[in-house]
Amino acid sequence: MIEMKQVSKRFDRFQALENVNLSIQKGSIYGLIGSNGAGKTTLIKLLAGIYRQDNGDVMIDGTPVYENIGLKQKIFYIPDHPYVFSHYTTKQMARFYKNCYSNWSEERFEMLVELFEVNLQKKIQTFSKGWQRQIAFILALSANPEILILDEPMDGLDPVVRKKIKNLLINDVAEREMTIFISSHNLREIEDICDHIGIIHKGALIMQKELDELKADIHKVQVAYRNDVPKQLLKKLNPLHTEKRGSVSLFIVRGNEDSLAKQIRETNPVIFDLLPLTLEEIFIYEMGDIGYAIKNVVV
Amino acid sequence: MPSKMSWFNKEMIMQIVRSTGWISIVYFLGLLFILPIQLMMMYSEDRLPDYYKGESYTLFQVNFELQLGLLVIVPVILAVFLFRFLHVKQASDLMHSLPLKREKIFHHYAITGIMFLTVPVAVITLMILILRNLLDLGSLYSLEDIFYWAGTTIVITLLLYTASVMIAMMTGISAVHAVLAYIFLFFPVGFVLLLFYNLKILLYGFPSEFFLQQQLERMSPITYATSLNGRIFQWSDAIIYFILAVAFYLLALLFYKKRNVEQASEAIAFPKLRLIFKYGVTFCTMLVGGTYFSGVSNNNISWIIFGYVIGAVFGYFIAEMVLQKTWRIFARLKGLAVFAAVVAILVIGIKALGIYENRVPDLADIQGVQLTNEPYWIWNNAEPDEEYYRMKPLKEEANITAVRRMHQQILADRKLKHKKNEQTINYFVRYELKNGSSMTREYQVNERLYDDFFKSIYESKEYKQATKPIFKIKDSEIKSLNIRANGPMNKTVTLSNPEETKEVLEALRKDVLAESYEDSLYFRDRGSIVEIYLGDNHSIHSIEIKPTYQNISNWLKEKGLTDRVKVTGEDLSHVLVVKGDVSNSNDLEISQEELESKKDSLDIKEKRQMEQLLDATSAYDRGEYKVIFYYKFGDYVEIMSFDEEHAPDFVKRHFR
């Protein structure tokens, strides 16, 4: 289990993270969404044990990460721009990682190399950006980490490769209960593989939720009445958002689907629809004012 | 598989070798061409020195400039390249995301670097040893010489390297790393020089010359290295350098553990160091500004202050530019204002209180005092003849009082402006106090203004015994004496009979004790020279026999030696005396022509009168009479002078 408690990090005059609390269960895929400069990379580097927090605790299975070699053996971090030693081939890089990570599996490495059809003898820096990223994934997965930390991993990959990698990741999560921490500036990129989502804005984690729970909990209601909308119903529903288009009213409401439907039907509307929300809509309505500020990351 | 995760990470070493091993190879090739190949070449062309010089540093004399270049550049640059991974964000992230402790990363890099520096030297040493056997160079380079070369090279490169590694931890930019490393290495010498020079400007009487007599070049390994081809690297220095290298290594590790990864690409990696850097640079450039303008403006105080201000402003802005990594920093003036205020308060405080400048110790506190214009002989230089020349402190109350009074007078006269062309001399006063401390001051004064004070000191027995080598030489040390006439002809007598040498020395001691201050100043470089050869390592002391030295003259007369050791009337063909203003030309030809063309001159051929003139003159410009001595020997001519007071009666009569 990954835990961050009241974590703050400051770079000279710039407060990158402030009082971040976060917890991730083993085997889950956690997506961190935030615009550029929101603090995603800082948070990731704290998790990976690269940065040292100013305040608070960054713990995995109850022990601090920083300079903890036993823990770092279980973590693999792929930065937003994968970096390798200059003039290193995939084979040399693999040997280097093998020397560092005790769980390295040569078998797995060979299997992945075959799957992706990588030329082992070619210098990594001469590959295209997309290829370099695939090689980074191959190396990472060969190290059999318990926690995989990915900073903007899908950037620069074509849809086919994206699919391939996503499958591999999901496979590892299912088979080995690997935990994945993944960041993105765009929710759509990762919504299909994440089961948890956290949103970071200006150095603060403004919400984190399980995706299924989110979707089940919030609805769009379209109703029309012969007269006005009954005041009592409005009070009961307490909508997050209301809109009126002609005689049709639109509410965003929270609650159980069945009980909501029952309550509304009792007021005899002329028209009544209960619709699911897209993820983007959920975030925007859930977070009220801030929701608009971060619209660009969820749409 | 814990065994695989041992302390030694082979792949990491491989990575270091792949990325920076080339420096070691270049270093090796450099040394190869500079030493073994050069030796072979010199051997084949028969240019090797043809005898054993007996100096351990002979190997440094082979292509020394190139050796020095490698010695000074390679270790610093090596550290820059090795620890570049700290300064490149992505590399730094990669290294620190790996399951490796920082200690482990550090030791791997730092020790591999040490190997890069030592292995080439070791191989070259081996090659030289082989060459020594093959080419039969045993008579030119002893085994110790070769190991001395290797050891010295390794110790100095290691010190430079570890210092540079430590600097790597302080910064986040490789270029800044290299610059800071050299600044750091030069800093002790440079800063001390600057500080001494500027304290001299600030504080009247600050003895900068005196402090500069200390072996400053030892304070920086780079300045030390520049003299490796002519001086032995002492064991004591080597041990200090080695300890420093170990200290730098450990400090580097400590700083590395404290350093935050995100400081890659920051000029200074520790926020607290930034302040020190900023104001340190401002302070140093301020001193440089002052020094420069004091030099080019002939110590004009307004220009010096201008230099300080300009220097501080420049330094402050440069430091800010480096720290902020932009040149548009001109709005950030607050720090400069604070700095200026602090400096102004300090300077005004020091000047107003005058504790340093006005201090003259109380008589009761003084144990002894030294007064000289040659700081070398106060400072404990390990010169071979030091024991004879070093001034012993004066302890008699009369002398101490006189020195104090002279010191107080100098302080009272500090507002006196020296005229142009006025001859000044640097006087050093050093008090040894009863509480064990000492106080040294240096003043640039016109000596003539203080003749009255100095006369009483000079004429005291204690002063003469404290300063003149002749009182320190033991009779038993003397191997032989030469007494030589001061003229073109070869008139020399050598005495080696202990009885005689003892008598000569005794006579000279009496004469020196009896000598007055005025006479000691007036007579210079005319009289015969006594050269005293000491038994130990052949050191020589010489002393001039002045016309006032009665005892020695009598002794020479008694022994019938006068004519054999002194210029006499017999040696001269004639003498020309001229009175009046004569341009003080250094060019003998012109001066002689000018003097000879004067109308009212006195030409003397009479022996006794010529000898009278020989005893009245001095080689220095002493007054209104100029004399030309025409020697019989060769067409030798000597131009000297004397004043009215010393003028013989027949001269006075002629020019009346």
Side-chain angles (χ1 to χ4, degrees):
Chain A
M1 187 163 105
I2 301 171
E3 259 180 309
M4 287 181 124
K5 283 184 202 155
Q6 293 293 319
V7 171
S8 298
K9 178 74 187 171
R10 194 181 176 83
F11 300 127
D12 293 330
R13 289 205 181 78
F14 169 66
Q15 187 77 39
L17 287 182
E18 197 151 20
N19 295 332
V20 169
N21 290 294
L22 174 150
S23 82
I24 303 167
Q25 294 299 324
K26 190 171 168 64
S28 59
I29 303 180
Y30 188 101
L32 182 69
I33 316 289
S35 52
N36 293 328
K40 292 190 302 281
T41 302
T42 305
L43 199 156
I44 276 185
K45 286 185 180 173
L46 284 166
L47 270 186
I50 296 171
Y51 287 173
R52 176 170 23 193
Q53 68 275 20
D54 299 335
N55 290 310
D57 298 310
V58 181
M59 318 239 270
I60 291 176
D61 299 336
T63 44
V65 181
Y66 189 77
E67 284 290 273
N68 186 335
I69 300 314
L71 269 185
K72 282 171 98 175
Q73 286 278 359
K74 303 177 189 167
I75 304 174
F76 201 105
Y77 159 69
I78 302 182
D80 45 358
H81 301 286
Y83 176 83
V84 291
F85 301 124
S86 52
H87 305 295
Y88 260 51
T89 65
T90 310
K91 193 166 188 170
Q92 288 169 329
M93 212 57 208
R95 227 185 283 147
F96 181 81
Y97 280 124
K98 187 181 170 185
N99 229 266
C100 292
Y101 287 94
S102 52
N103 288 330
W104 179 272
S105 158
E106 200 63 28
E107 214 176 297
R108 189 128 206 262
F109 176 66
E110 276 160 21
M111 190 267 281
L112 288 168
V113 165
E114 213 164 291
L115 182 71
F116 283 85
E117 295 174 345
V118 178
N119 178 355
L120 279 179
Q121 303 299 338
K122 194 173 155 176
K123 285 180 184 169
I124 299 179
Q125 281 166 337
T126 60
F127 282 105
S128 70
K129 205 176 152 198
W131 269 101
Q132 288 189 29
R133 199 172 281 275
Q134 287 180 52
I135 291 167
F137 271 102
I138 291 172
L139 293 167
L141 292 174
S142 303
N144 276 322
E146 284 178 26
I147 298 167
L148 185 60
I149 299 175
L150 309 169
D151 198 356
E152 305 269 357
M154 301 303 172
D155 251 18
L157 294 185
D158 64 60
V160 181
V161 180
R162 230 181 252 206
K163 191 81 201 151
K164 243 193 213 170
I165 286 174
K166 279 183 183 172
N167 284 338
L168 270 175
L169 293 179
I170 291 167
N171 197 35
D172 265 42
V173 173
E175 263 180 29
R176 306 191 294 117
E177 270 214 295
M178 181 170 75
T179 312
I180 298 179
F181 189 96
I182 188 165
S183 83
S184 176
H185 59 267
N186 195 328
L187 176 64
R188 276 191 184 160
E189 240 181 36
I190 55 170
E191 66 173 298
D192 52 344
I193 61 165
C194 292
D195 48 27
H196 286 77
I197 292 287
I199 293 187
I200 188 169
H201 182 62
K202 288 187 178 164
L205 201 61
I206 48 180
M207 69 158 290
Q208 49 181 336
K209 279 257 162 76
E210 198 173 330
L211 266 188
D212 291 345
E213 184 191 321
L214 257 185
K215 282 182 179 163
D217 207 37
I218 192 161
H219 310 274
K220 193 193 276 179
V221 178
Q222 285 184 345
V223 283
Y225 291 90
R226 252 176 256 287
N227 302 315
D228 278 350
V229 180
K231 288 251 165 64
Q232 244 175 344
L233 179 71
L234 273 179
K235 227 182 195 175
K236 260 192 210 160
L237 292 179
N238 189 17
L240 298 167
H241 179 79
T242 53
E243 224 177 283
K244 205 162 163 76
R245 290 181 192 155
S247 57
V248 178
S249 298
L250 191 144
F251 304 128
I252 308 291
V253 287
R254 232 179 245 174
N256 180 279
E257 188 176 342
D258 294 341
S259 72
L260 275 179
K262 197 178 157 210
Q263 277 179 345
I264 295 167
R265 290 229 170 78
E266 276 171 3
T267 57
N268 295 319
V270 183
I271 304 168
F272 169 52
D273 282 314
L274 193 69
L275 306 166
L277 264 73
T278 64
L279 258 184
E280 295 110 73
E281 286 172 312
I282 295 175
F283 279 112
I284 288 165
Y285 294 129
E286 270 269 327
M287 286 179 293
D289 290 342
I290 309 174
Y292 290 98
I294 61 156
K295 208 169 175 177
N296 59 326
V297 300
V298 290
V299 177
Chain B
M1 289 172 277
S3 65
K4 210 171 85 182
M5 298 298 124
S6 65
W7 193 88
F8 181 75
N9 188 325
K10 191 184 131 223
E11 283 300 320
M12 196 146 118
I13 304 279
M14 285 299 294
Q15 195 271 320
I16 300 167
V17 173
R18 280 187 189 122
S19 60
T20 38
W22 62 271
I23 296 177
S24 193
I25 294 170
V26 168
Y27 185 38
F28 172 75
L29 290 175
L31 286 176
L32 181 73
F33 284 102
I34 288 172
L35 276 165
I37 291 183
Q38 178 72 23
L39 285 178
M40 282 195 279
M41 200 161 78
M42 284 162 76
Y43 178 80
S44 71
E45 293 176 356
D46 215 15
R47 281 197 290 123
L48 280 168
D50 36 352
Y51 60 96
Y52 179 61
K53 288 184 175 166
E55 290 150 342
S56 305
Y57 44 79
T58 35
L59 268 177
F60 277 107
Q61 291 172 333
V62 180
N63 274 335
F64 178 66
E65 289 76 16
L66 296 176
Q67 281 197 55
L68 181 67
L70 283 182
L71 196 70
V72 166
I73 293 169
V74 170
V76 173
I77 294 305
L78 175 65
V80 170
F81 277 93
L82 269 179
F83 286 91
R84 190 163 158 70
F85 78 90
L86 285 177
H87 304 157
V88 177
K89 241 189 167 92
Q90 294 175 317
S92 182
D93 285 350
L94 170 63
M95 284 311 298
H96 297 105
S97 75
L98 296 171
L100 300 170
K101 274 237 183 232
R102 286 187 174 213
E103 278 108 324
K104 189 169 168 174
I105 298 175
F106 178 79
H107 290 308
H108 272 78
Y109 274 86
I111 292 174
T112 310
I114 291 175
M115 290 297 154
F116 283 173
L117 287 177
T118 48
V119 170
V121 175
V123 176
I124 294 293
T125 307
L126 197 69
M127 293 173 81
I128 296 176
L129 286 174
I130 294 170
L131 273 184
R132 178 174 178 268
N133 278 341
L134 285 181
L135 305 184
D136 209 17
L137 301 179
S139 57
L140 291 179
Y141 303 105
S142 73
L143 284 181
E144 287 95 74
D145 296 352
I146 296 171
F147 289 117
Y148 168 81
W149 174 82
T152 305
T153 304
I154 286 175
V155 169
I156 290 182
T157 48
L158 282 189
L159 179 62
L160 295 174
Y161 168 72
T162 50
S164 182
V165 169
M166 188 177 76
I167 297 298
M169 304 303 156
M170 313 276 188
T171 173
I173 301 173
S174 295
V176 174
H177 176 191
V179 173
L180 277 187
Y182 282 110
I183 290 179
F184 176 72
L185 288 166
F186 276 118
F187 186 77
V189 171
F191 187 69
V192 164
L193 280 178
L194 269 183
L195 205 63
F196 284 171
Y197 196 91
N198 283 276
L199 280 175
K200 194 174 129 191
I201 299 175
L202 176 67
L203 296 173
Y204 186 65
F206 184 81
S208 58
E209 285 288 322
F210 169 69
F211 284 132
L212 293 176
Q213 294 302 323
Q214 308 179 39
Q215 288 169 315
L216 282 182
E217 74 273 9
R218 279 213 293 221
M219 291 173 72
S220 158
I222 295 183
T223 47
Y224 200 135
T226 54
S227 57
L228 277 176
N229 62 338
R231 205 178 55 191
I232 205 96
F233 186 52
Q234 305 285 347
W235 269 107
S236 55
D237 292 337
I239 289 167
I240 291 171
Y241 277 21
F242 188 75
I243 291 171
L244 276 178
V246 173
F248 286 151
Y249 186 93
L250 295 176
L251 278 175
L253 176 59
L254 183 78
F255 283 120
Y256 180 42
K257 284 163 85 174
K258 292 225 165 201
R259 179 194 168 95
N260 284 332
V261 173
E262 65 263 27
Q263 299 298 352
S265 85
E266 285 293 338
I268 304 289
F270 294 94
K272 276 177 196 153
L273 268 184
R274 276 173 214 157
L275 273 185
I276 297 177
F277 174 77
K278 185 156 97 180
Y279 292 110
V281 170
T282 310
F283 186 69
C284 289
T285 51
M286 179 180 80
L287 297 189
V288 170
T291 308
Y292 174 76
F293 276 96
S294 102
V296 296
S297 79
N298 219 345
N299 285 324
N300 178 319
I301 193 69
S302 343
W303 278 110
I304 293 176
I305 291 172
F306 173 76
Y308 280 128
V309 172
I310 285 289
V313 169
F314 262 115
Y316 180 82
F317 282 136
I318 288 169
E320 275 285 275
M321 284 177 203
V322 171
L323 287 176
Q324 309 295 337
K325 290 184 282 177
T326 166
W327 60 273
R328 302 191 307 265
I329 37 77
F330 298 104
R332 309 172 71 102
L333 286 169
K334 213 176 91 193
L336 186 61
V338 173
F339 177 85
V342 170
V343 170
I345 289 170
L346 277 179
V347 169
I348 291 170
I350 289 170
K351 295 298 274 188
L353 293 175
I355 295 171
Y356 185 92
E357 295 178 301
N358 297 333
R359 182 170 170 218
V360 178
D362 286 334
L363 187 63
D365 296 337
I366 301 172
Q367 178 139 43
V369 65
Q370 290 161 294
L371 178 72
T372 177
N373 54 20
E374 283 167 339
Y376 332 98
W377 308 126
I378 306 186
W379 186 254
N380 208 340
N381 266 12
E383 299 280 335
D385 289 346
E386 182 209 327
E387 50 176 318
Y388 302 113
Y389 289 95
R390 206 170 160 205
M391 180 184 177
K392 286 191 204 146
L394 305 176
K395 306 219 158 145
E396 278 172 19
E397 197 177 315
N399 277 329
I400 295 177
T401 311
V403 171
R404 279 190 77 245
R405 277 178 50 224
M406 180 168 161
H407 189 174
Q408 278 160 339
Q409 188 58 47
I410 291 174
L411 290 181
D413 292 345
R414 63 182 287 190
K415 289 278 172 325
L416 281 184
K417 285 248 155 56
H418 295 301
K419 291 180 215 93
K420 263 188 189 168
N421 300 330
E422 184 175 340
Q423 280 215 341
T424 59
I425 188 166
N426 281 8
Y427 251 115
F428 296 84
V429 190
R430 182 177 168 89
Y431 298 99
E432 282 176 7
L433 302 181
K434 285 184 178 148
N435 63 15
S437 63
S438 66
M439 178 184 144
T440 311
R441 295 290 185 272
E442 173 187 355
Y443 300 99
Q444 195 185 19
V445 295
N446 179 349
E447 205 179 4
R448 296 287 79 77
L449 291 178
Y450 304 97
D451 276 347
D452 292 346
F453 295 96
F454 199 62
K455 182 178 160 67
S456 72
I457 300 168
Y458 181 87
E459 290 179 355
S460 74
K461 188 175 169 189
E462 188 192 21
Y463 177 84
K464 287 175 178 166
Q465 286 179 338
T467 49
K468 309 279 179 191
I470 192 166
F471 293 104
K472 298 175 188 173
I473 294 169
K474 293 187 200 75
D475 296 338
S476 57
E477 290 176 303
I478 299 171
K479 209 170 140 202
S480 64
L481 283 178
N482 256 2
I483 307 178
R484 182 164 62 74
N486 191 354
M489 60 288 162
N490 187 19
K491 274 185 162 187
T492 308
V493 166
T494 303
L495 305 173
S496 48
N497 177 344
E499 282 290 303
E500 285 179 329
T501 57
K502 201 178 159 194
E503 282 170 21
V504 169
L505 234 65
E506 254 162 32
L508 279 171
R509 281 177 188 143
K510 273 187 207 159
D511 288 333
V512 169
L513 279 183
E515 184 182 22
S516 75
Y517 179 57
E518 291 83 1
D519 286 342
S520 81
L521 288 180
Y522 184 85
F523 295 106
R524 295 268 165 100
D525 292 353
R526 174 73 284 278
S528 306
I529 309 292
V530 181
E531 288 167 342
I532 304 169
Y533 291 84
L534 299 188
D536 69 304
N537 55 40
H538 313 289
S539 65
I540 306 170
H541 299 273
S542 58
I543 174 167
E544 184 188 347
I545 300 177
K546 299 185 179 179
T548 52
Y549 287 11
Q550 284 309 317
N551 291 292
I552 184 72
S553 301
N554 291 342
W555 188 88
L556 290 170
K557 217 176 274 168
E558 257 172 49
K559 297 273 168 187
L561 291 172
T562 309
D563 287 346
R564 291 171 57 194
V565 299
K566 198 170 184 272
V567 178
T568 62
E570 297 288 346
D571 300 313
L572 302 170
S573 59
H574 65 119
V575 178
L576 193 73
V577 182
V578 174
K579 190 182 179 185
D581 269 348
V582 180
S583 67
N584 209 354
S585 171
N586 287 324
D587 190 342
L588 199 65
E589 291 288 322
I590 294 178
S591 195
Q592 186 184 350
E593 256 172 51
E594 194 182 338
L595 290 173
E596 283 169 350
S597 66
K598 287 258 176 185
K599 278 174 194 149
D600 188 23
S601 59
L602 172 62
D603 196 7
I604 295 163
K605 293 206 166 70
E606 208 269 314
K607 222 181 99 187
R608 208 182 47 78
Q609 288 183 334
M610 289 198 289
E611 279 173 9
Q612 256 181 298
L613 283 170
L614 279 169
D615 281 346
T617 54
S618 170
Y620 288 70
D621 188 20
R622 287 289 178 245
E624 49 273 64
Y625 295 97
K626 299 274 178 285
V627 201
I628 308 178
F629 294 108
Y630 298 87
Y631 284 84
K632 289 176 182 162
F633 185 90
D635 280 327
Y636 192 79
V637 162
E638 222 174 45
I639 298 176
M640 305 231 164
S641 71
F642 60 92
D643 60 12
E644 190 71 44
E645 191 193 328
H646 291 83
D649 289 340
F650 66 88
V651 175
K652 283 183 187 161
R653 247 177 277 126
H654 174 85
F655 287 103
R656 189 169 291 147

